[in-house]
Amino acid sequence: MTHTDARAPRAPETPATRRRLPLLDVLRGVAILGTLMTNIWIFTGPGAEWGVLEGSASGELSFGSVPDAVEGTFSVLGNGKFLSLLTILFGVGLAIQYGSAERRGQPWPGRYRWRALFLFGEGTVHFVLVFAWDVLMGYAVTALFVAWLLTRSRRAQRRVMWWAAGLHLALLGLLTAALVLAGDEDAGTVSPEVVDLYAHGDYLDQIAFRLQNAIALRMEPVLTFFLLVFLFLLGVRLFRAGVFGADETGRRLRSRLLWWGLGLGLPLNVAAALGGPDLFALARYGTAPLLALGYIGLVGALVDRVRRPGPLMTGLTSVGRTALSGYVFQNVLCVLVSYGIGLGLAERLGDTGPWWVVGLWAVVCAVLMVGSTLWLRRFTAGPLEAVQKWALRR
């Protein structure tokens, strides 16, 4: 197939394409709550969203004290790993929708363009009103490109995938070298005006600040575009290979991901974290995807051993089925708890160590799991998912 809006030929259905894959919902839930494992330090740190750019969250692993070790461990396990996992799963979702269009003989990308554009709009609103480090806008742009690429041959897709990986590693190498050579001694010092803005400022002033600094705050999806393309296409390949299936093939492939992903990814991420702030980009955008593959294998191994889902698995599945709503709602909750426009706990508890931050993360996770489970007892989709479906139908 050589053009983007032709009708896809019908493909034979397989058991994996006819039924929902439970593991995917659990993985989405893990990815959503895992992204908060990193973002929680942004909400609660000095200068919040802008503080990241000034080095207040370096991701450095230190054993100088118990609080430093706790925060560093969170960084090693979370920083960039669940973002990579979420990106891979977005590629899986794209492959599922493409396969559905194939079986029905529908044009592709067809209506999916509108879905991606609507996602970009949702991400823009989320960026302006809630959280500067939104991922939805970058996903929407990448999805449009990869959706078109799926109409090309699989050989072309593999070629683009590995070219994207190579370009990303080259760009990452230049960025890391620049950070090492810069060696900014003032890193970690956030301007008092920005700290005051999030601790005491008006909500409209915070919105104005995001808009005034939109280029800097939106630089991450630009710098990582090739990584996003690679991970999207990696998700497509993993799905087509049967990694997420409940059969023997899926279990065998997940076992390989577990041993290779954790065996290589964990030591590399620890080494990058021990390297300090200069290797922050390498840890977040270089070694993190490898550990994310290990997480797929680990979660898959645990799910395979579950005979009767308990509250934890039920909660993760519910969050996964309402992933978009959960992602936005967890950020709204953290804003209301941390910033001065709400409870202002980031300033009040800022000198008490990392324990309240870890506690906040656990509480928000519990709220999302319980809330999404109760919601799905009455509705078939999350609130934002329902709004998206309603808008696209019209």
Side-chain angles (χ1 to χ4, degrees):
M1 189 173 296
T2 57
H3 52 91
T4 62
D5 207 25
R7 290 190 175 275
R10 292 183 181 271
E13 290 193 13
T14 65
T17 59
R18 284 197 301 266
R19 63 174 182 267
R20 193 177 188 94
L21 299 173
L23 176 59
L24 285 178
D25 288 328
V26 177
L27 283 169
R28 289 191 187 99
V30 170
I32 293 298
L33 300 183
T35 57
L36 184 62
M37 195 174 183
T38 298
N39 293 342
I40 196 74
W41 303 98
I42 298 177
F43 289 111
T44 57
E49 302 160 321
W50 187 257
V52 180
L53 297 178
E54 297 191 353
S56 66
S58 66
E60 181 179 2
L61 179 60
S62 171
F63 297 99
S65 66
V66 174
D68 289 341
V70 170
E71 186 170 350
T73 301
F74 256 63
S75 177
V76 169
L77 297 178
N79 183 29
K81 289 74 179 177
F82 295 101
L83 180 62
S84 294
L85 175 58
L86 189 62
T87 309
I88 291 171
L89 294 174
F90 211 102
V92 172
L94 189 57
I96 292 174
Q97 292 175 73
Y98 175 73
S100 177
E102 270 193 323
R103 294 191 301 276
R104 297 175 182 177
Q106 294 177 341
W108 181 266
R111 295 179 180 178
Y112 185 81
R113 295 192 189 98
W114 291 107
R115 183 170 184 172
L117 291 173
F118 192 85
L119 183 67
F120 185 86
E122 289 177 313
T124 303
V125 173
H126 182 236
F127 164 77
V128 174
L129 300 183
V130 182
F131 189 45
W133 294 89
D134 165 81
V135 301
L136 302 178
M137 297 171 69
Y139 283 1
V141 174
T142 308
L144 283 172
F145 172 69
V146 176
W148 165 80
L149 190 61
L150 290 182
T151 64
R152 269 43 188 176
S153 68
R154 296 197 178 187
R155 180 182 179 184
Q157 294 169 32
R158 288 194 299 270
R159 189 177 301 169
V160 171
M161 174 180 163
W162 293 115
W163 268 104
L167 290 171
H168 169 69
L169 290 176
L171 183 60
L172 182 60
L174 292 174
L175 179 60
T176 301
L179 291 175
V180 171
L181 293 174
D184 190 359
E185 297 180 357
D186 295 328
T189 303
V190 186
S191 59
E193 294 81 7
V194 177
V195 174
D196 184 71
L197 172 66
Y198 287 97
H200 307 287
D202 184 76
Y203 178 57
L204 294 179
D205 291 337
Q206 292 178 11
I207 292 177
F209 180 80
R210 291 192 196 100
L211 294 174
Q212 292 166 3
N213 297 277
I215 294 179
L217 292 171
R218 289 286 75 201
M219 192 54 62
E220 182 179 53
V222 176
L223 293 176
T224 60
F225 175 73
F226 295 119
L227 175 62
L228 295 178
V229 171
F230 170 75
L231 293 177
F232 265 61
L233 291 172
L234 179 60
V236 172
R237 290 197 65 181
L238 292 176
F239 174 74
R240 288 173 173 172
V243 167
F244 305 100
D247 55 5
E248 183 58 34
T249 298
R251 286 189 287 271
R252 184 180 71 254
L253 293 174
R254 290 193 294 272
S255 178
R256 293 179 184 175
L257 291 180
L258 170 62
W259 290 110
W260 283 103
L262 295 186
L264 288 178
L266 193 56
L268 289 175
N269 278 276
V270 170
L274 289 172
D278 292 342
L279 299 185
F280 176 80
L282 179 62
R284 182 169 173 82
Y285 308 119
T287 60
L290 185 58
L291 190 52
L293 293 176
Y295 286 169
I296 293 176
L298 178 61
V299 174
L302 295 175
V303 171
D304 288 339
R305 286 162 173 75
V306 172
R307 294 294 177 262
R308 179 178 297 179
L312 178 60
M313 186 170 173
T314 300
L316 290 172
T317 300
S318 299
V319 173
R321 290 179 57 191
T322 58
L324 177 60
S325 300
Y327 171 69
V328 173
F329 186 56
Q330 70 184 15
N331 294 334
V332 171
L333 281 178
C334 289
V335 165
L336 296 177
V337 170
S338 304
Y339 295 174
I341 60 174
L343 299 179
L345 294 188
E347 182 188 37
R348 296 182 185 180
L349 303 178
D351 297 327
T352 61
W355 307 110
W356 83 273
V357 181
V358 175
L360 175 61
W361 172 72
V363 169
V364 173
C365 289
V367 168
L368 287 180
M369 287 192 287
V370 173
S372 59
T373 300
L374 295 176
W375 179 274
L376 290 176
R377 288 181 181 177
R378 183 169 182 179
F379 304 99
T380 59
L384 291 184
E385 287 82 355
V387 170
Q388 185 184 75
K389 290 180 180 179
W390 174 83
L392 293 177
R393 280 198 304 266
R394 298 180 68 86

